Amino acid sequence: MDIQRIIDLVKETKEIIMDRETAGRVKEKGIADYVTQTDIAVQNFLKERLNALAPDVLFIGEETGMQHIQADSYWILDPVDGTTNLMHDYRHSTVSLALCHKKEIVMGFVYDPFHDEFFSAIKGEGSCLNGCPIHVSSAKRLSETIIGIGTAKRANAKENFVRFLNVYENSQDIRRLGSAALELAYTACGRQGGYFEGFLNPWDFAAGMLLVQEAGGKVTDWYGTTLVPTQGGSVAATNGQIHRELLELL
């Protein structure tokens, strides 16, 4: 498979994402859950191009939802991770694309068009930012780093904010970017020591999970169990050294 062609295709979505008129066409899917015309346009663009590139590989996208996949290989796409950010021109939105083969993520790409940062990972070959190798933070304790947080699910807000306070009190600080894929990418390149969220779908974490793992970090659910690329659930990603400490606070 032509990896450079895949990278080029993902980068071609920049023009679509930067169109503020398209981003302003919004539909509410649920409470604080939105889709813009940009999400749909990016998904349609990549689905068509990827199908032409690899017709035997099936496709899961956020705007198509989970499907019963029987094939060995399939793409997992979040066309715009950080849709609410995009709606407000907050400029922290990404395209997240992963390739799953036999229930294992083997490629992961997270593209931030606003800062021209392209994160990539190939299983067994490490992670890169704009072609340069990246590694997780060297922090050995939570008190030596900052931690990214995510606020899903909204129904669990009270319990989650207690967790945020616990982590805040035991770390240097906390951050919230509003894009799970970007949080995982920032964890992979060492800008933060870790990140956690109470519930993510596969298209939210699939690419970022491989980024963190290939950069030397660890990704599990809140109970320390390995994540399944076809199932949603809680996510905790760290540099590995602070993983146990973070899980104990969750």
Side-chain angles (χ1 to χ4, degrees):
M1 189 174 292
D2 189 342
I3 296 173
Q4 187 56 53
R5 180 57 182 146
I6 298 169
I7 292 172
D8 291 342
L9 285 175
V10 174
K11 287 183 175 180
E12 285 180 34
T13 63
K14 180 174 182 176
E15 185 175 348
I16 303 173
I17 293 171
M18 292 299 185
D19 186 341
R20 291 304 303 155
E21 181 180 351
T22 305
R25 299 173 189 167
V26 180
K27 179 180 178 181
E28 189 170 3
K29 297 189 292 183
I31 298 174
D33 186 12
Y34 306 95
V35 58
T36 70
Q37 191 60 42
T38 303
D39 297 73
I40 296 169
V42 170
Q43 179 155 299
N44 289 344
F45 172 83
L46 286 176
K47 183 177 182 180
E48 178 183 337
R49 301 307 193 279
L50 291 170
N51 184 62
L53 188 66
D56 294 332
V57 180
L58 297 186
F59 185 89
I60 295 176
E62 179 177 9
E63 305 316 325
T64 60
M66 292 300 300
Q67 306 166 36
H68 182 61
I69 299 293
Q70 295 181 328
D72 282 343
S73 298
Y74 50 92
W75 300 106
I76 303 176
L77 172 70
D78 192 338
V80 179
D81 188 50
T83 297
T84 305
N85 286 349
L86 183 70
M87 288 162 50
H88 295 278
D89 199 22
Y90 197 68
R91 298 184 168 249
H92 285 88
S93 302
T94 65
V95 180
S96 176
L97 177 68
L99 178 62
C100 186
H101 180 67
K102 294 185 177 179
K103 300 182 180 181
E104 188 174 46
I105 303 300
V106 295
M107 291 185 194
F109 307 101
V110 173
Y111 176 45
D112 176 358
F114 296 100
H115 301 93
D116 284 320
E117 292 192 326
F118 196 98
F119 298 86
S120 60
I122 308 297
K123 186 166 180 61
E125 298 183 17
S127 295
C128 293
L129 167 55
N130 292 341
C132 298
I134 55 175
H135 304 282
V136 293
S137 163
S138 60
K140 295 181 179 180
R141 294 180 295 276
L142 274 175
S143 59
E144 297 174 356
T145 189
I146 58 176
I147 299 294
I149 63 172
T151 51
K153 289 186 172 183
R154 207 173 181 89
N156 300 330
K158 291 183 179 180
E159 296 92 334
N160 282 337
F161 273 82
V162 171
R163 294 185 179 96
F164 300 157
L165 178 60
N166 288 339
V167 173
Y168 172 74
E169 291 179 333
N170 286 276
S171 65
Q172 287 184 346
D173 210 334
I174 57 176
R175 296 287 185 271
R176 181 173 185 268
L177 298 175
S179 163
L182 199 58
E183 297 277 14
L184 290 164
Y186 279 18
T187 300
C189 71
R191 292 176 183 169
Q192 56 193 32
Y195 156 72
F196 67 95
E197 187 144 5
F199 183 86
L200 293 175
N201 284 300
W203 44 80
D204 298 314
F205 69 76
M209 175 174 68
L210 186 64
L211 285 173
V212 174
Q213 292 169 337
E214 287 295 317
K218 187 172 184 177
V219 185
T220 68
D221 67 13
W222 287 7
Y223 304 98
T225 304
T226 301
L227 299 179
V228 179
T230 56
Q231 297 178 9
S234 62
V235 172
T238 71
N239 65 355
Q241 298 191 76
I242 64 169
H243 205 80
R244 181 186 296 273
E245 186 181 1
L246 178 61
L247 292 185
E248 287 175 352
L249 294 173
L250 302 181

